[in-house]
Amino acid sequence: MKPIAKIATYLVLLLTAIGMLLPMLMMIFMSLKAYPEGKGLLELLFSKYTVQNYLDALQTDSFGTYFLNSLFVSATVTLGNLLFCLTVGYAMARKEFRLKPVVLATVLGVMIIPPHVIMIPLYRMMVEFGWINSYWSLIVPWLVSPFGIFLVRQYV
């Protein structure tokens, strides 16, 4: 690669990285301010910082309960995805069965559907099952991911 092309590539990568990191840095700086509304960038960077917002968030309500609920749901969904995606993906890659092309086409077809499209039907199903305000409605619909099945199949 020529030196000029290399410099141009790194410059584009640097500008892209700055463009992606700047909003996150702005959020961090704004979270450390008492009243960040309406402040300019320089005023935001060079005024007084405080961690009181984080202390308030940790002390209000039941932060520990919320955190443990999120941890439980995410760990259960992750373990379910590992178990089911590994078994289905392995079977799709190594085993021969009659409907294998149909199952693969179905998995790929489900990947095309955006998750936003299934939210209302999914909610109606959870109401019919009586699972509203329970862990079941957060865990069961996401135990198997077609993308996970496809990735495992491709890897195996």
Side-chain angles (χ1 to χ4, degrees), residues 126-143:
M126 296 303 119
V127 169
E128 287 181 25
F129 294 160
W131 287 356
I132 296 299
N133 292 330
S134 71
Y135 288 122
W136 295 105
S137 63
L138 295 173
I139 295 172
V140 172
W142 312 113
L143 279 179

Side-chain angles (χ1 to χ4, degrees), residues 38-74:
K39 295 194 175 189
L41 181 60
L42 291 176
E43 192 177 342
L44 190 63
L45 290 174
F46 297 114
S47 60
K48 190 177 118 189
Y49 294 104
T50 179
V51 292
Q52 189 60 42
N53 295 335
Y54 290 102
L55 296 175
D56 290 343
L58 290 173
Q59 292 171 353
T60 351
D61 293 329
S62 305
F63 183 81
T65 304
Y66 302 152
F67 179 76
L68 290 176
N69 283 342
S70 297
L71 186 67
F72 171 71
V73 169
S74 61

Side-chain angles (χ1 to χ4, degrees), residues 64-156:
T65 304
Y66 302 152
F67 179 76
L68 290 176
N69 283 342
S70 297
L71 186 67
F72 171 71
V73 169
S74 61
T76 307
V77 168
T78 301
L79 290 174
N81 265 289
L82 283 172
L83 176 71
F84 294 124
C85 291
L86 281 173
T87 54
V88 174
Y90 181 81
M92 294 287 298
R94 296 290 185 181
K95 303 297 178 188
E96 292 298 326
F97 51 94
R98 192 168 45 106
L99 295 176
K100 185 175 178 178
V102 175
V103 173
L104 179 61
T106 304
V107 168
L108 293 175
V110 171
M111 283 176 55
I112 294 171
I113 301 170
H116 303 86
V117 173
I118 66 168
M119 286 298 165
I120 292 174
L122 191 60
Y123 175 77
R124 293 186 60 156
M125 283 176 57
M126 296 303 119
V127 169
E128 287 181 25
F129 294 160
W131 287 356
I132 296 299
N133 292 330
S134 71
Y135 288 122
W136 295 105
S137 63
L138 295 173
I139 295 172
V140 172
W142 312 113
L143 279 179
V144 178
S145 161
F147 187 65
I149 293 171
F150 182 71
L151 281 180
V152 170
R153 179 190 170 274
Q154 292 300 106
Y155 180 75
V156 172

